[in-house]
Amino acid sequence: MMEKITDENNVLQMMEDLQENNLARQVEEGKGPRRFFIQTFGCQQNENDSEKLAGILLAAGFTQALDYSDADIILINSCSIRENADDRLFGHLGILKKQYEDSGRQLVVGVCGCMVTRPQLVEKIKRSYRHVKILLTPQQIHELPAKLHRVFIERKSALETSMEERIVEDIPQARERKFRALVSIMYGCNHFCTYCVVPFARGRQRSRRAGEIIREVQGLAAEGFSEIMLLGQNVNAWGLDSGHKALKFARSRGEAELLKVAKAELSPETFPELLAALAQIPGIKCIRYMSPHPRDFTAQMVSCLKLFPEVESRLHLPLQSGSDKILKDMNRGYDLESFRQLVNACREVRPELALTTDIIVGFPSETESDFEATLAAVEEFKFQSAYTFIFSPRPGTRAAKMPELPADVTQARFKRLLELQNALTYDSYKALLGSTREVLVEGPSKQQPGVYTARDHAFHLFNLSLPPNRDWEGERLMIKVSEARPFSAEAELSRVLSA
Ligand code: SAH
Ligand code: SF4
Ligand code: F3S
């Protein structure tokens, strides 16, 4: 039997139905609202998807559980980017199966996210994990109300998956953080890097309309958020969904158009123009974005860094490898020299820029000299920090068909890269010693009680002790950097900027 599918026009309608049905109470009358727990793996887009799943559940009358054991409905929002993610999902499902059998309760388990887009995994879940009652691809988030209805009211499983690509607005979002709001501005990716599963899991690139994004950010500013993080797998290709022609058009636009957007004489059509428009929203002090791709980084984006101080002073620009041969084998669409020119241009207009990156070690065709080119590039660019990954073959990708390098070779290279990068990160914190900086408090440190973590515009991480007289999360402070640590710096409070 077909499940009821929600389309973009009736998410809100469906939410109202759920509330009318008082879904959260229906099954166990008198026991209070049912509780949900969401476990999220993967990238920040997945985190934002989980905020939407939580938003829907809250709107339907459920309440948030503190952990697995306290929950009546558990959603696992999965990631598929590397192999160990698969193992982790099945490990979790095994534990939940036992919990389900032992508790005698009507525990509902759902699996969402990128792994649900892989037919073999879906089959395995259906075959071996019968306690899973809901399956939801990232393209189906808006179908959660319909699936809840099916499970809790019709008492049936909701396991149909679909990869239909569309953009659904107005899904409620339960924001996880008070200090920084995640805003997905585009979905999917068109690039097909040869190692990467994302275009298969998330589909082709599709951008939200500028007006919808601006409306969302205005709402966030009104709620008191001063910092936002724009998300997309290839975030700076926003607006260029239809390929080469669009890209050519984007490259032809420059500073003049940016200034027109800033004066509201033109509506944004490229990513830097979107940044220009968002920078004008009163209350928005810092706009972060993740991840831009070097191949779509235009001269207009460099102008944007020059003109709009609200655009963050961190540039996360994934290099992946320092060897032109490997970049070609990865289908990255740039070479080391063009990456260098980009970095130089950005540093010229924003000297305080902190450059961060992603690097993959052990791509199948990587030779010792290719790897050394990566080390040389890391040394040259002095990345403030880097996410370093060991190549993991992903089913369906071109690189998965290539013979893998021996694990000991990859491990040894990975260790060398990590040592070099760790030293650079430590140096970057030493360079801040004695400086005074504006930061936003993120929250209490997980390791040290009484200590808070905070970040500056360039995303450097600081630890500082603050008086216990208030909730500091989301406050802006001036701090003085007192001591460098390998991955952060200690700081002292100079002044509170926001009340
Ligand atoms: N869209 C972003 C990256 C998204 S995935 C971009 O193109 O920059 C985040 C990072 O995971 C990638 O930058 C890459 O370094 C790493 N990654 C992706 N697939 C991988 C794989 N199969 N093995 C190892 N690392 C991988
Ligand atoms: Fe994956 Fe490449 Fe797309 Fe990034 S740009 S998501 S690495 S295919
Ligand atoms: Fe993982 Fe999917 Fe994000 S594979 S990294 S959750 S896009």
Side-chain angles (χ1 to χ4, degrees):
M1 204 178 101
M2 278 295 288
E3 287 166 35
K4 216 189 268 178
I5 301 291
T6 323
D7 72 23
E8 35 283 75
N9 298 323
N10 66 10
V11 171
L12 293 176
Q13 177 63 50
M14 183 60 86
M15 305 295 309
E16 277 170 24
D17 287 353
L18 286 178
Q19 278 164 340
E20 267 172 33
N21 269 305
N22 208 355
L23 175 72
R25 281 178 186 274
Q26 181 133 356
V27 186
E28 283 179 295
E29 211 50 70
K31 286 200 176 172
R34 298 175 74 87
R35 292 169 303 268
F36 70 89
F37 183 74
I38 303 177
Q39 172 87 48
T40 310
F41 297 97
C43 62
Q44 300 195 60
Q45 285 225 289
N46 239 23
E47 280 182 42
N48 190 218
D49 287 348
S50 289
E51 293 181 334
K52 292 176 185 167
L53 296 170
I56 292 172
L57 284 159
L58 287 170
F62 290 78
T63 58
Q64 207 141 8
L66 295 177
D67 61 29
Y68 278 113
S69 59
D70 186 35
D72 305 294
I73 173 166
I74 295 172
L75 299 182
I76 302 179
N77 198 4
S78 64
C79 167
S80 198
I81 199 85
R82 283 169 289 275
E83 203 167 3
N84 57 6
D86 298 14
D87 305 340
R88 271 198 294 182
L89 174 72
F90 289 112
H92 264 75
L93 287 181
I95 295 168
L96 290 176
K97 189 173 178 181
K98 184 147 187 352
Q99 186 182 332
Y100 170 76
E101 286 163 355
D102 291 351
S103 72
R105 285 182 300 150
Q106 201 212 2
L107 179 68
V108 169
V109 176
V111 182
C112 323
C114 290
M115 286 181 69
V116 182
T117 63
R118 289 171 46 202
Q120 299 92 321
L121 295 184
V122 165
E123 283 317 306
K124 183 170 171 183
I125 293 172
K126 285 184 181 166
R127 210 175 41 242
S128 312
Y129 298 90
R130 289 178 182 273
H131 57 306
V132 173
K133 297 282 188 278
I134 296 176
L135 289 176
L136 208 64
T137 66
Q139 291 80 349
Q140 287 178 298
I141 305 269
H142 60 285
E143 290 181 29
L144 183 61
K147 294 207 171 213
L148 291 173
H149 190 277
R150 186 166 165 88
V151 169
F152 285 99
I153 292 169
E154 295 172 31
R155 305 291 184 106
K156 293 187 176 132
S157 295
L159 301 177
E160 282 219 358
T161 59
S162 144
M163 303 275 284
E164 196 183 330
E165 293 166 7
R166 47 183 163 183
I167 296 178
V168 181
E169 295 292 346
D170 294 322
I171 298 178
Q173 301 180 62
R175 307 267 177 203
E176 184 76 25
R177 306 179 177 90
K178 276 199 264 171
F179 54 88
R180 181 186 311 127
L182 305 179
V183 180
S184 296
I185 62 166
M186 50 102 82
Y187 307 97
C189 179
N190 286 347
H191 278 336
F192 289 95
C193 299
T194 55
Y195 52 81
C196 185
V197 77
V198 170
F200 302 96
R202 299 251 169 184
R204 293 299 74 70
Q205 172 176 325
R206 49 218 184 269
S207 303
R208 287 176 67 197
R209 280 194 292 268
E212 298 283 2
I213 299 167
I214 293 170
R215 192 164 60 92
E216 182 175 346
V217 175
Q218 283 168 336
L220 290 166
E223 276 178 53
F225 283 99
S226 63
E227 187 167 312
I228 54 165
M229 167 81 94
L230 305 180
L231 298 176
Q233 282 302 337
N234 186 8
V235 75
N236 54 330
W238 174 85
L240 313 176
D241 299 358
S242 51
H244 295 306
K245 232 171 152 182
L247 199 60
K248 248 191 198 149
F249 155 81
R251 291 201 196 288
S252 71
R253 296 182 63 123
E255 208 167 306
E257 285 83 1
L258 273 178
L259 290 168
K260 279 192 184 164
V261 171
K263 284 190 272 173
E265 290 167 4
L266 195 69
S267 47
E269 293 187 30
T270 64
F271 180 68
E273 289 167 15
L274 180 67
L275 289 171
L278 297 177
Q280 309 312 312
I281 297 176
I284 296 298
K285 295 210 166 105
C286 179
I287 307 174
R288 303 195 185 278
Y289 53 105
M290 184 81 123
S291 291
H293 195 302
R295 87 200 266 173
D296 297 318
F297 208 98
T298 57
Q300 193 189 37
M301 188 61 213
V302 178
S303 302
C304 185
L305 289 175
K306 182 175 105 187
L307 293 172
F308 304 107
E310 294 82 1
V311 176
E312 67 172 325
S313 289
R314 183 236 331 226
L315 177 57
H316 183 75
L317 206 54
L319 173 63
Q320 312 298 1
S321 168
S323 151
D324 285 345
K325 153 111 189 8
I326 299 298
L327 289 173
K328 199 155 187 291
D329 290 353
M330 288 176 165
N331 188 32
R332 287 294 288 176
Y334 54 86
D335 59 13
L336 189 66
E337 181 52 29
S338 53
F339 188 92
R340 180 180 291 124
Q341 284 175 13
L342 253 180
V343 169
N344 289 344
C346 293
R347 282 183 166 153
E348 204 176 311
V349 296
R350 192 66 82 83
E352 72 275 26
L353 202 72
L355 186 67
T356 63
T357 201
D358 292 349
I359 291 175
I360 297 178
V361 175
F363 187 81
S365 54
E366 185 186 80
T367 62
E368 184 60 24
S369 73
D370 292 321
F371 174 66
E372 275 163 17
T374 298
L375 290 181
V378 168
E379 187 84 71
E380 175 187 346
F381 296 120
K382 305 238 177 307
F383 295 112
Q384 193 274 323
S385 84
Y387 296 105
T388 49
F389 305 101
I390 288 181
F391 168 76
S392 170
R394 303 316 290 135
T397 63
R398 267 161 53 201
K401 297 189 187 80
M402 301 166 77
E404 268 185 83
L405 292 178
D408 56 336
V409 170
T410 311
Q411 287 288 353
R413 287 181 190 167
F414 185 73
K415 197 162 161 263
R416 281 164 71 195
L417 173 65
L418 213 59
E419 273 165 19
L420 172 61
Q421 181 54 53
N422 287 351
L424 291 172
T425 300
Y426 197 4
D427 286 349
S428 76
Y429 283 108
K430 286 181 197 155
L432 303 179
L433 271 176
S435 66
T436 302
R437 322 183 70 78
E438 181 175 335
V439 295
L440 184 75
V441 180
E442 296 203 334
S445 150
K446 286 190 187 89
Q447 283 94 27
Q448 300 160 269
V451 173
Y452 284 78
T453 60
R455 289 191 190 264
D456 66 5
H457 206 51
F459 212 61
H460 294 107
L461 181 64
F462 302 98
N463 306 306
L464 72 164
S465 296
L466 292 170
N469 57 352
R470 66 164 115 159
D471 177 10
W472 290 95
E473 191 175 328
E475 300 272 355
R476 286 195 174 270
L477 313 173
M478 290 306 289
I479 58 155
K480 189 157 188 238
V481 185
S482 52
E483 198 184 334
R485 299 245 187 255
F487 305 105
S488 63
E490 305 297 305
E492 281 152 22
L493 173 64
S494 306
R495 196 154 49 90
V496 179
L497 295 173
S498 55

